[in-house]
Amino acid sequence: MTASSPPTLADLLHAAVTAVGGTERPGQTAMAEAVAEAIDDNAHLLAQAGTGTGKSLGYLVPAIAHGERVVVATATLALQRQLVERDLPRTVDALHPLLRRRPEFAMLKGRSNYLCLHRLHEGVPQEDAEAGEVGLFDPFEAAEPTSKLGKDLLRMRDWADETETGDRDDLTPGVSDRAWSQVSVSSRECLGASKCTYGAECFAEAARERAKLAEVVVTNHALLAIDAIEGAPVLPSHEVLIVDEAHELVSRVTGVASGELTPGQVNRAVRRAAKLVNEKAADALQTAAETFERLMELALPGRIEEIPEDLGYALMALRDAARTVISALGATRDASVQDEDAVRKQALASVENIHQVAERIVDGSEYDVVWYERHDRFGASLRVAPLSVSGLLREKLFEDRSVVLTSATLKLGGDFNGVAASLGLFPEGVRDAKGEEGAAPPWKGLDVGSPFDYSKQGILYVAKHLAQPGREGSRSDMLDELAELVEAAGGRTLGLFSSMRAAQAAAEELRGRLDVPILLQGEETLGELIRTFAGDARTCLFGTLSLWQGVDVPGPNCQLVVMDRVPFPRPDDPLMSARQKAVEDAGGNGFMAVAATHAALLMAQGAGRLVRASGDRGVVAVLDPRVERARYGSFLRKSMPDFWYTTDRNQVRRSLAAIDAAAKAADA
């Protein structure tokens, strides 16, 4: 590069990698080049980048070099923090001399993630008031509160004077959801900066202003979904969108596009609105709420394919009563209620949600799935979710900008087509279902591999001799196999189970058999469990869903990852079974498109817990013979890292013992 020539992508990537203390890798270079090409061509890219590739810089450098605003959406707080606190500051500093500009960057989340000064100082509508009562709860009336809630609220008041962001995730130690709800508001509850006494100091508004001025905006999948779905922009306009941890996107978008009604939620709306509207409107909503609650007491869990007549009448009554209350809330004012605008806003938000969900279920779209759920603590709930979000994503996400989606697990069963279809993209090279031009945006898939030599660093072992797991009952042969594997490994085991019941049974059994510590998810905070597991080589950690994706323990303390069974969705899962049937009705293979793809994604993520660094060695053991015997087994195996594969139980025990001995020798 001469003094007058612009820097090349290679120059920029080298500077950024050096600044963060890493080393350039072929996969990272290939990814950066593909991202730059996609942005230049206003095209879309699915990039699979294995652990250790350095994918954050692989997309940040070409995006920053392009010079247009980029939004980066991630699924986890950990990656957001890594980007904002580590990768972006160092990358911007490194690229500044070469680009001769210093791009600004900012993080933006949903409004409820920021402390609300109005709530904090003026009090909040009291949630535990008796029916019909609307008052204000002042957490600071007592000089020295003794409850944990009161102490947390006082701590947050002190923190409000110190924090620059008001971001909940910057509060250490954290507080419960109940405590945070006392000092935060949703976008529907917010008074608006122009009407709020504290509008000029608002943390959420300040975050939005920083985002408007930034060239790189880091956000989360949920806010991205809200921005795309609800039609009211919350993100600044942008020319480039990068979705990291993209394997989570469909789930997060589905969550945002779902609705729920519970008796508790409806009764809260009644209490909030009661003193703010005329008696007739309040009584109608109260009567509708009581009818709905009686029905929910009898509700059995499962999908509702046709709305029963009594439920339909109850929902129509709720919808109509809620609509009347919404109109009344806009037409009256009650001077006797202190800070009435805040109370009114909260009441309006609650009632609008009731109206929206009830109306959606009554309208009965063929593209929605409705079902009952029952919870031990909260009773029954009525839920509605989209049958698919692929069309929504195709229409809202991929128009008018270049989109890069990246993850360590996008290629399932050997290609990108399954994940692409869930995102609204047809098979690579096909523009729509008939192969004609114009219906779906073109895209490219790229697997840049991993810097790790999986075939030499890891073994994939399938225990084909075990009995096939059933829906119920103890798996004594599986527990025997698990105990022998853990003993051979000398502990060092991450146990990934398909249910909490299975994890608890395995922990109880092995605690009685083996002289190694067994940690169980739920007995301590997840962070503390992972820290203990990472700090003691003999310790094992057993748990369920969050452990399949959330554990990063490089080194010898995690040398055996065990999956008790293929993590298919439950056969009675209303949404998954409805999606599977829809694929079958359209002539496809519903099991492979939904259940097997779901399992493959989780197994790929779970297997990725084993090799986190170039020196890691170990075994992924799947204690489910279907991965070897069933026709879909090869699909599942192809979705996991390319470990050396075996079904020889004796070979695996010898390998584990040798790895354990080598680790002990290194520690000596």
Side-chain angles (χ1 to χ4, degrees):
M1 183 180 74
T2 66
S4 58
S5 63
T8 65
L9 181 60
D11 295 329
L12 296 170
L13 188 60
H14 176 75
V17 171
T18 302
V20 300
T23 55
E24 291 177 71
R25 299 183 170 110
Q28 186 183 55
T29 301
M31 180 176 178
E33 291 171 349
V35 171
E37 181 182 341
I39 294 173
D40 288 342
D41 295 345
N42 196 31
H44 308 306
L45 173 70
L46 270 66
Q48 176 162 292
T51 304
T53 302
K55 62 181 167 64
S56 298
L57 294 187
Y59 60 69
L60 284 177
V61 171
I64 290 173
H66 192 69
E68 296 180 317
R69 179 182 284 128
V70 56
V71 167
V72 180
T74 80
T76 62
L77 172 63
L79 183 53
Q80 289 175 39
R81 284 196 173 279
Q82 177 189 314
L83 289 170
V84 172
E85 296 176 5
R86 180 177 179 269
D87 293 348
L88 275 166
R90 297 181 187 183
T91 299
V92 165
D93 286 345
L95 299 188
H96 176 224
L98 299 173
L99 295 175
R100 297 178 184 175
R101 58 185 173 84
R102 183 182 293 277
E104 295 291 325
F105 57 88
M107 186 187 291
L108 184 61
K109 302 177 184 179
R111 189 172 292 274
S112 62
N113 290 279
Y114 299 97
L115 183 143
C116 172
L117 292 170
H118 185 279
R119 274 276 178 95
L120 184 75
H121 294 298
E122 304 297 332
V124 298
Q126 186 172 339
E127 286 300 306
D128 298 322
E130 295 179 5
E133 178 187 351
V134 176
L136 286 174
F137 168 52
D138 182 354
F140 313 121
E141 285 181 350
E144 295 184 8
T146 56
S147 71
K148 185 175 188 310
L149 176 63
K151 290 177 180 177
D152 280 343
L153 289 167
L154 284 177
R155 182 159 63 87
M156 286 189 284
R157 183 178 64 174
D158 293 338
W159 175 68
D161 295 331
E162 304 165 3
T163 178
E164 295 181 2
T165 66
D167 186 335
R168 179 179 181 177
D169 294 317
D170 291 339
L171 175 62
T172 305
V175 296
S176 67
D177 289 346
R178 184 185 178 214
W180 185 257
S181 70
Q182 306 295 316
V183 296
S184 64
V185 295
S186 67
S187 56
R188 279 182 170 179
E189 295 169 326
C190 176
L191 292 171
S194 62
K195 295 182 179 179
C196 179
T197 310
Y198 301 90
E201 308 163 65
C202 176
F203 291 117
E205 290 296 323
R208 294 186 74 165
E209 289 303 313
R210 286 193 295 270
K212 288 178 184 177
L213 300 173
E215 187 173 311
V216 181
V217 179
V218 178
T219 188
N220 53 50
H221 289 181
L223 196 63
L224 174 65
I226 291 168
D227 183 75
I229 292 170
E230 297 194 352
V234 291
L235 294 171
S237 61
H238 51 281
E239 294 73 27
V240 179
L241 169 64
I242 294 168
V243 183
D244 205 338
E245 303 172 308
H247 62 277
E248 290 274 15
L249 183 62
V250 167
S251 174
R252 302 300 170 98
V253 173
T254 299
V256 168
S258 299
E260 182 178 33
L261 282 177
T262 69
Q265 179 189 37
V266 174
N267 288 328
R268 265 196 308 277
V270 171
R271 289 198 302 271
R272 288 172 173 176
K275 271 201 169 181
L276 301 173
V277 299
N278 62 72
E279 187 176 347
K280 183 179 178 181
D283 286 348
L285 187 58
Q286 176 73 52
T287 301
E290 290 170 355
T291 303
F292 177 69
E293 186 168 13
R294 283 195 299 271
L295 274 177
M296 294 299 285
E297 288 173 355
L298 305 174
L300 298 175
R303 185 180 177 190
I304 308 169
E305 299 207 37
E306 286 191 21
I307 304 297
E309 188 174 5
D310 54 356
L311 178 61
Y313 282 132
L315 291 173
M316 285 189 282
L318 266 183
R319 176 199 63 190
D320 296 344
R323 185 190 298 126
T324 301
V325 168
I326 290 168
S327 298
L329 283 169
T332 62
R333 288 287 186 272
D334 186 348
S336 68
V337 178
Q338 182 190 5
D339 202 5
E340 197 251 6
D341 278 346
V343 175
R344 180 178 300 276
K345 258 295 193 180
Q346 190 178 55
L348 188 61
S350 295
V351 179
E352 282 178 340
N353 182 65
I354 302 301
H355 177 268
Q356 182 181 13
V357 178
E359 184 172 56
R360 178 178 173 181
I361 296 174
V362 167
D363 287 349
S365 167
E366 63 181 303
Y367 302 109
D368 272 342
V369 180
V370 181
W371 71 97
Y372 287 124
E373 280 186 7
R374 290 206 76 88
H375 310 273
D376 291 339
R377 288 184 59 196
F378 307 111
S381 65
L382 180 63
R383 304 204 64 193
V384 57
L387 183 61
S388 169
V389 295
S390 59
L392 188 67
L393 289 171
R394 179 166 59 244
E395 177 187 352
K396 302 291 188 180
L397 206 67
F398 293 102
E399 292 190 1
D400 304 323
R401 55 186 166 186
S402 173
V403 182
V404 173
L405 301 113
T406 184
S407 166
T409 48
L410 291 179
K411 198 174 178 183
L412 301 178
D415 62 48
F416 291 94
N417 290 336
V419 170
S422 71
L423 296 165
L425 302 173
F426 295 120
E428 195 167 5
V430 176
R431 296 295 289 274
D432 72 0
K434 299 177 182 177
E436 300 171 357
E437 292 288 321
W443 60 278
K444 177 181 177 182
L446 174 69
D447 181 0
V448 303
S450 168
F452 304 142
D453 189 344
Y454 286 119
S455 63
K456 292 183 178 178
Q457 291 184 246
I459 297 171
L460 173 59
Y461 164 61
V462 175
K464 74 171 184 177
H465 62 282
L466 297 179
Q468 181 169 312
R471 287 194 63 186
E472 301 292 341
S474 172
R475 295 181 64 199
S476 58
D477 60 343
M478 184 276 288
L479 293 173
D480 291 341
E481 182 80 9
L482 175 61
E484 291 175 17
L485 290 170
V486 171
E487 190 169 29
R492 311 178 191 278
T493 301
L494 177 65
L496 305 176
F497 293 84
S498 53
S499 70
M500 202 61 230
R501 181 183 300 176
Q504 290 165 346
E508 182 180 349
E509 179 73 18
L510 266 63
R511 281 169 175 168
R513 287 200 198 189
L514 303 179
D515 187 26
V516 296
I518 308 285
L519 305 175
L520 178 63
Q521 185 178 352
E523 294 183 346
E524 182 52 83
T525 65
L526 193 57
E528 185 59 34
L529 288 171
I530 293 172
R531 280 191 292 274
T532 304
F533 175 57
D536 181 2
R538 297 181 66 250
T539 295
C540 303
L541 173 57
F542 290 0
T544 185
L545 191 60
S546 56
L547 296 187
W548 289 73
Q549 305 185 69
V551 179
D552 183 12
V553 180
N557 291 9
C558 182
Q559 295 188 327
L560 173 61
V561 174
V562 179
M563 304 179 198
D564 71 324
R565 62 191 296 165
V566 178
F568 291 124
R570 286 170 39 199
D572 58 354
D573 182 302
L575 186 55
M576 287 293 198
S577 58
R579 288 175 170 176
Q580 189 165 318
K581 185 176 184 298
V583 173
E584 291 164 358
D585 290 346
N589 187 326
F591 171 78
M592 291 301 296
V594 179
T597 296
H598 171 89
L601 181 58
L602 271 177
M603 293 181 80
Q605 285 286 314
R609 301 309 98 203
L610 181 69
V611 176
R612 311 297 295 177
S614 58
D616 287 355
R617 301 286 187 275
V619 172
V620 172
V622 183
L623 308 186
D624 187 334
R626 293 175 294 181
V627 177
E628 166 64 21
R629 296 177 187 168
R631 280 194 292 178
Y632 54 79
S634 62
F635 174 80
L636 299 176
R637 296 196 303 271
K638 285 179 184 176
S639 302
M640 290 189 275
D642 188 23
F643 296 127
W644 185 75
Y645 178 63
T646 185
T647 59
D648 186 336
R649 59 193 303 200
N650 294 322
Q651 174 62 55
V652 165
R653 282 157 180 70
R654 288 193 297 270
S655 298
L656 283 170
I659 293 168
D660 179 42
K664 287 176 179 175
D667 290 340

